[in-house]
Amino acid sequence: MMTASPLLSLPGAVAGDGADAPVAAHYGSFNLEQRTLASGEGFVDLSHRDVLRIAGPDRLTWLHSLTSQAFEGLAPGVWTSALILSPQGHVEHFFSGVDDGSSFLAWTEPGAGEALVAYLERMKFWSDVTVTAEPSQASVWRPSQGYSFVPRESLETYAAAAGPACGFWAFEALRIERGEPRFGVDTDARTIPNEVGWVPGSEETVGPEYAVHLDKGCYRGQETVARVHTLGRPPRRLVLLHLDGSENRLPAAGSELVFGEETVAKSVGFVGSSARHHELGPIALGLVKRNVPVEAQLVVDGMPVAQEVLVDPEIGLHIRPLR
């Protein structure tokens, strides 16, 4: 189990729940904390995320051959994200990180690190690489610089310099607004990258929010990604959901999205992350079938929700800026 963050001792800190329990959900006012982050100030403690280190002279060419991302020639200090796919193109692992010239340090979602390290260990073969869990490093996020790592033992010193501290709920609300999916929450075992906006619009469109590079050699699952990118029409699409605010609750992750009248209603997808946004009200990310009309009102857990298009149902590309 992940050790609780030392920043839970800060004034007003209230712990999160579930996988996010080791960090603060908020420090007294998640609305004020959202505004702080939206203004470009503050930071978020993400030290509950699993961190791993990939070292060795072959690390970049090895990662290039295994993942959806281009690692060959990756310059130190350039943040990048990557996926490991099944042969059918389904997302099995996600990680995001940065190389320092001698090793690649990456975070993945809480609880996902052990399986990722185990998979990478199995794939080493004769490559000169080492893969290790790195619990001594903690992930943090700032509006001005995105993700970074700090030594876990230095978190309190970092907080004093980078503050004010803002909670995970504020971070989640802004992430959902950006349309940035969270692996394992906004995705399921059938998700392909084209459905959730991880594929850039062109070879020139790059950035840490995109986990697929369109101009690189073969990797497992590439055929599916390339086919959908070329032909369009992904099976499902990520949407931003605006929830009816009349009820003081949010849907649980995994809740069924329903379309149609009560007598002929049918399941068309599921809700992933949800949050209360300081301007938009209650919002969520959902994954819905491509043929659901973009203007259709849906229902989740008895609450009506309106869609805002994030991934175009015909071409399978994110049509809103992620940040």
Side-chain angles (χ1 to χ4, degrees):
M1 178 178 289
M2 176 61 71
T3 304
S5 171
L7 301 190
L8 284 173
S9 65
L10 292 179
V14 175
D17 53 17
D20 305 318
V23 297
H26 63 86
Y27 296 91
S29 173
F30 64 88
N31 277 329
L32 178 60
E33 291 158 26
Q34 283 184 56
R35 293 188 176 95
T36 297
L37 293 176
S39 72
E41 302 297 323
F43 80 98
V44 181
D45 175 15
L46 300 173
S47 61
H48 63 316
R49 288 178 166 174
D50 292 349
V51 178
L52 62 148
R53 186 183 299 274
I54 303 166
D58 295 342
R59 68 190 182 284
L60 295 182
T61 54
W62 179 68
L63 287 170
H64 187 93
S65 69
L66 283 179
T67 74
S68 61
Q69 190 56 268
F71 281 92
E72 288 183 340
L74 180 67
V78 176
W79 202 279
T80 192
S81 301
L83 307 171
I84 294 172
L85 306 180
S86 74
Q88 294 75 36
H90 301 142
V91 179
E92 293 186 341
H93 300 282
F94 168 94
F95 61 93
S96 186
V98 65
D99 197 78
D100 65 5
S102 62
S103 64
F104 186 82
L105 194 64
W107 65 262
T108 189
E109 289 293 338
E114 183 177 358
L116 175 57
V117 169
Y119 174 82
L120 294 174
E121 278 288 338
R122 293 196 303 271
M123 301 303 294
K124 285 166 58 173
F125 301 112
W126 297 279
S127 298
D128 190 355
V129 295
T130 59
V131 183
T132 55
E134 197 69 30
S136 66
Q137 293 291 318
S139 175
V140 294
W141 184 86
R142 297 182 71 177
S144 58
Q145 66 185 53
Y147 296 108
S148 61
F149 295 104
V150 299
R152 184 173 294 275
E153 64 182 15
S154 302
L155 268 173
E156 291 173 289
T157 302
Y158 175 87
C166 300
F168 190 73
W169 284 359
F171 171 82
E172 284 288 272
L174 299 182
R175 176 186 64 79
I176 293 168
E177 179 195 17
R178 293 194 301 270
E180 183 179 314
R182 182 178 181 184
F183 172 67
V185 179
D186 302 309
T187 69
D188 60 12
R190 297 187 295 114
T191 299
I192 63 173
N194 316 68
E195 295 177 325
V196 293
W198 275 330
V199 179
S202 69
E203 296 171 3
E204 292 73 32
T205 308
V206 296
E209 61 268 34
Y210 299 112
V212 173
H213 197 287
L214 293 173
D215 185 25
K216 61 161 288 184
C218 294
Y219 58 91
R220 193 171 74 171
Q222 181 190 31
E223 182 179 353
T224 297
V225 175
R227 182 175 65 251
V228 176
H229 179 70
T230 301
L231 301 178
R233 300 168 71 86
R236 299 178 297 177
R237 56 188 176 84
L238 188 72
V239 294
L240 179 64
L241 299 170
H242 296 267
L243 285 73
D244 182 291
S246 61
E247 298 191 44
N248 187 28
R249 59 189 176 94
L250 295 171
S255 296
E256 185 179 58
L257 279 166
V258 176
F259 172 51
E261 298 298 329
E262 185 173 345
T263 55
V264 292
K266 59 181 180 179
S267 175
V268 294
F270 69 90
V271 167
S273 308
S274 60
R276 292 180 175 87
H277 191 275
H278 69 287
E279 291 181 340
L280 301 178
I283 57 175
L285 291 178
L287 199 55
V288 302
K289 294 179 179 179
R290 183 194 58 80
N291 59 3
V292 175
V294 296
E295 70 280 1
Q297 180 175 279
L298 307 177
V299 175
V300 59
D301 194 20
M303 295 180 287
V305 294
Q307 303 176 69
E308 183 175 340
V309 176
L310 292 175
V311 171
D312 186 284
E314 296 302 319
I315 62 175
L317 294 175
H318 211 292
I319 64 171
R320 281 184 43 186
L322 285 164
R323 57 180 178 176

